Amino acid sequence: MKTVFVLNGPNLNLLGTREPAVYGAQTLADVQQLCAQACVRHGLALRFHQSNHEGALLDWLHEAGALHAGGQLAGVVLNAGAYTHTSVALYDAIKGTGLPLIELHISNVHARESFRHHSYISPVARAVVCGLGVAGYGLAIDAIAQW
Ligand code: CA2
């Protein structure tokens, strides 16, 4: 059974507690459940994580990279939060490991502040899902299951 990593960056632990107009009312636990259901549908194992620390995200990307090298990875869904717009380190990790990865944003970042329009992840992502709310997580896993 191949594994899907779903990685969530800074402040996404606050999902469902504030800014419901932007991010919706569902919590990160709801998102984890939605991802687990999508993985069951496709016969995939799930690793679901959130951290407010860039280094933790890097460590999980490296772990996913090791699984990828061993042919045991289905793909990665990464919502890097604000690190999307700042992190050369995440760019380097994804590029260096050759990870098959979908960049995900709950909100439509292009309809928001201009500092959210640039992404260090997009050039090294296979696809970008943005603006579909938390439903995007399930759709991203559906896409990975077809790779
Ligand atoms: O739309 C997305 O998924 C984002 O990746 C979310 C990030 C933001 O910095 C990106 O530009 C777009 C922020 C996550 C913060 O999540 C919160 C949720 C509820 C309350 C406060 C923050």
Side-chain angles (χ1 to χ4, degrees), residues 25 66 72 89 119 144:
Q72 294 166 286
S119 167
I144 284 172

Side-chain angles (χ1 to χ4, degrees), residues 9-19 22-23 79-85 104-109 112 115-116 137:
N11 295 313
L12 284 157
N13 54 312
L14 299 176
L15 216 55
T17 66
R18 284 173 226 151
E19 298 197 67
V22 181
Y23 299 115
N79 185 348
Y83 289 143
T84 303
H85 318 298
L104 184 139
H105 302 288
I106 297 165
S107 63
N108 178 0
V109 286
R112 301 181 64 193
F115 62 80
R116 296 186 203 276
Y137 285 85

Side-chain angles (χ1 to χ4, degrees), residues 13-126:
N13 54 312
L14 299 176
L15 216 55
T17 66
R18 284 173 226 151
E19 298 197 67
V22 181
Y23 299 115
Q26 287 183 281
T27 65
L28 195 64
D30 295 329
V31 175
Q32 180 164 7
Q33 202 177 3
L34 176 163
C35 290
Q37 284 163 357
C39 284
V40 167
R41 271 204 308 278
H42 296 296
L44 296 165
L46 175 66
R47 290 277 305 272
F48 187 96
H49 298 288
Q50 186 274 334
S51 179
N52 295 320
H53 305 276
E54 195 173 11
L57 295 169
L58 291 168
D59 289 343
W60 287 320
L61 287 172
H62 294 173
E63 243 192 273
L67 274 193
H68 181 51
Q72 294 166 286
L73 182 80
V76 178
V77 180
L78 174 63
N79 185 348
Y83 289 143
T84 303
H85 318 298
T86 62
S87 180
V88 175
L90 288 176
Y91 168 92
D92 284 342
I94 298 161
K95 193 172 185 185
T97 50
L99 280 172
L101 178 145
I102 296 181
E103 173 185 352
L104 184 139
H105 302 288
I106 297 165
S107 63
N108 178 0
V109 286
H110 299 289
R112 301 181 64 193
E113 303 95 327
S114 60
F115 62 80
R116 296 186 203 276
H117 298 176
H118 177 264
S119 167
Y120 280 99
I121 313 297
S122 297
V124 286
R126 282 215 191 160

